[in-house]
């Protein structure tokens, strides 16, 4: 039997059935999808410029761009339709900061999720020996939740700028030849942004996973157990004082109540002394 089968048969992977480890494993996968769909992107568009003089035309102008989307560094040459002179242009915008920040968060989230999952599976006892491990885990989870929210929001704005800068209609406006109505300028094909749209979706899904996992990590910390103890102590004191008060009331009712009822009527001795009065009176007569 191989080592993996032995570990599985020994119940080592039972930790993955718990929400804490299961969500961490999902974070691991979703982080891979996030940085793969963004960091591995490369696309382009193709334009055509049909001049009045066909020899000056260029019907296949390819413009390629890729991660990290420093579009202002993407240059290309187009005909001016004025002889053999050519115009050198560049795309507009720079979304490298938001794209690189997003990918960096995804990579570090992947590494931490991988390390945390290994600890949950193979070193769970040491993880729960003292409060240090859960506390560090809790703080890191909160930090990554915030980073995913900021990174995904920034990258969503950056992607919107990339779409505008690489829109064929916007690029055609940069060409001087296209400002002349006698020349025909058109887009052959537009860039495909489906993988970049997917990266934004995975970014916000990662934020939801990390934010949802905060509660399960918090339950492993000493703060949660301390809060539970503080909540249970007042309830025990309240219930104990109530029982104590009920016992006094019952004892009061059993002692004072009966004594009060007994004092309302005469006792047997007093009744006997009172009844002897008329008898002595008749004897005197």
């Amino acid at each position: 039997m191989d080592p993996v089968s032995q570990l599985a048969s020994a119940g080592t992977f039972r930790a993955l059935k718990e929400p804490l480890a299961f969500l961490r494993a999902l974070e691991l996968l979703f982080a891979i999808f996030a940085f793969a769909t963004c960091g591995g992107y490369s696309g382009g568009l193709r334009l055509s410029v049909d001049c009045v003089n066909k020899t000056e035309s260029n019907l296949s102008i390819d413009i390629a761009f890729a991660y990290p989307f420093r579009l202002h560094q993407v240059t290309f040459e187009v005909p001016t339709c004025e002889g053999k002179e050519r115009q050198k242009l560049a795309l507009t915008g720079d979304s490298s900061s938001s794209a690189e920040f997003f990918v960096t968060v995804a990579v570090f989230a992947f590494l931490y999720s991988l390390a945390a999952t290994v600890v949950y599976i193979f070193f769970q006892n040491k993880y729960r020996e003292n409060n240090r491990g859960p506390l560090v885990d809790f703080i890191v989870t909160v930090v990554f939740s915030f980073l995913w929210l900021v990174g995904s929001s920034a990258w969503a704005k950056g992607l919107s700028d990339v779409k505008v800068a690489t829109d064929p209609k916007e690029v055609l406006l940069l060409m001087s030849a296209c400002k002349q109505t006698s020349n025909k300028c058109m887009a052959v094909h537009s860039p495909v942004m489906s993988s970049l749209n997917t990266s934004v979706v995975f970014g916000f899904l990662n934020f939801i996973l990390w934010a949802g996992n905060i509660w399960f990590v918090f339950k492993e910390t000493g703060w949660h157990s301390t809060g539970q103890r503080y909540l249970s102590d007042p309830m025990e004191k309240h219930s104990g004082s109530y029982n104590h008060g009920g016992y006094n009331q019952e004892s009061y009712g059993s002692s004072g109540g009966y004594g009060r009822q007994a004092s309302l009527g005469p006792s047997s001795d007093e009744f006997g002394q009172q009844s002897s009065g008329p008898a002595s009176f008749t004897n005197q007569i």
Side-chain angles (χ1 to χ4, degrees):
M1 184 180 295
D2 58 299
V4 176
S5 300
Q6 292 178 356
L7 291 173
S9 61
T12 307
F13 291 98
R14 286 182 301 178
L16 291 175
K17 297 181 180 180
E18 300 180 1
L20 181 64
F22 179 73
L23 288 177
R24 199 66 84 193
L26 286 181
E27 292 166 0
L28 175 70
L29 295 176
F30 278 44
I32 295 175
F33 295 146
F35 71 73
T37 52
C38 179
Y41 178 83
S42 62
L45 64 154
R46 178 173 295 177
L47 307 174
S48 68
V49 178
D50 190 7
C51 302
V52 177
N53 186 357
K54 302 299 182 181
T55 58
E56 300 173 355
S57 301
N58 188 347
L59 303 181
S60 180
I61 303 173
D62 292 321
I63 305 173
F65 60 95
Y67 173 85
F69 308 104
R70 295 186 177 93
L71 300 180
H72 64 285
Q73 297 179 357
V74 178
T75 59
F76 55 98
E77 292 184 352
V78 296
T80 60
C81 296
E82 297 176 357
K84 294 183 178 180
E85 184 181 355
R86 301 182 69 81
Q87 183 184 12
K88 188 174 183 179
L89 298 173
L91 297 177
T92 59
D94 183 6
S95 299
S96 60
S97 58
S98 59
E100 289 175 342
F101 180 76
F102 179 81
V103 171
T104 301
V105 171
V107 170
F108 279 102
F110 162 76
L111 294 176
Y112 181 79
S113 299
L114 179 61
T117 304
V118 171
V119 171
Y120 294 158
I121 294 175
F122 299 103
F123 306 100
Q124 192 174 34
N125 294 332
K126 292 185 178 180
Y127 172 79
R128 293 176 175 174
E129 274 183 1
N130 50 45
N131 199 32
R132 183 178 300 177
L135 278 180
V136 173
D137 197 15
F138 174 75
I139 294 173
V140 173
T141 303
V142 172
V143 171
F144 267 110
S145 300
F146 176 74
L147 291 178
W148 272 118
L149 178 61
V150 174
S152 300
S153 301
W155 171 230
K157 176 60 172 61
L159 178 57
S160 178
D161 296 338
V162 171
K163 290 181 179 179
V164 172
T166 57
D167 186 358
K169 295 180 181 179
E170 296 293 330
V171 178
L172 290 175
L173 294 177
L174 301 175
M175 303 179 185
S176 59
C178 298
K179 298 177 181 179
Q180 302 175 10
T181 57
S182 58
N183 301 321
K184 296 180 181 180
C185 301
M186 59 180 299
V188 178
H189 69 76
S190 301
V192 180
M193 300 286 188
S194 57
S195 63
L196 296 182
N197 294 332
T198 305
S199 67
V200 174
V201 173
F202 276 115
F204 284 106
L205 286 177
N206 273 286
F207 162 69
I208 294 174
L209 281 175
W210 284 82
N213 205 15
I214 291 176
W215 167 246
F216 297 104
V217 180
F218 176 73
K219 290 174 65 177
E220 300 293 331
T221 63
W223 296 338
H224 179 262
S225 58
T226 303
Q228 292 289 332
R229 186 168 61 251
Y230 285 156
L231 288 175
S232 61
D233 288 347
M235 293 180 63
E236 291 177 357
K237 291 180 180 179
H238 179 71
S239 61
S241 61
Y242 178 78
N243 293 332
H244 183 68
Y247 173 78
N248 290 338
Q249 185 176 3
E250 183 180 357
S251 62
Y252 172 79
S254 61
S255 61
Y258 285 115
R260 185 176 299 175
Q261 291 177 2
S263 64
L264 291 178
S267 62
S268 59
D269 295 335
E270 292 176 353
F271 184 78
Q273 292 177 1
Q274 291 178 1
S275 62
S276 64
S280 62
F281 178 75
T282 56
N283 292 332
Q284 290 177 2
I285 295 176

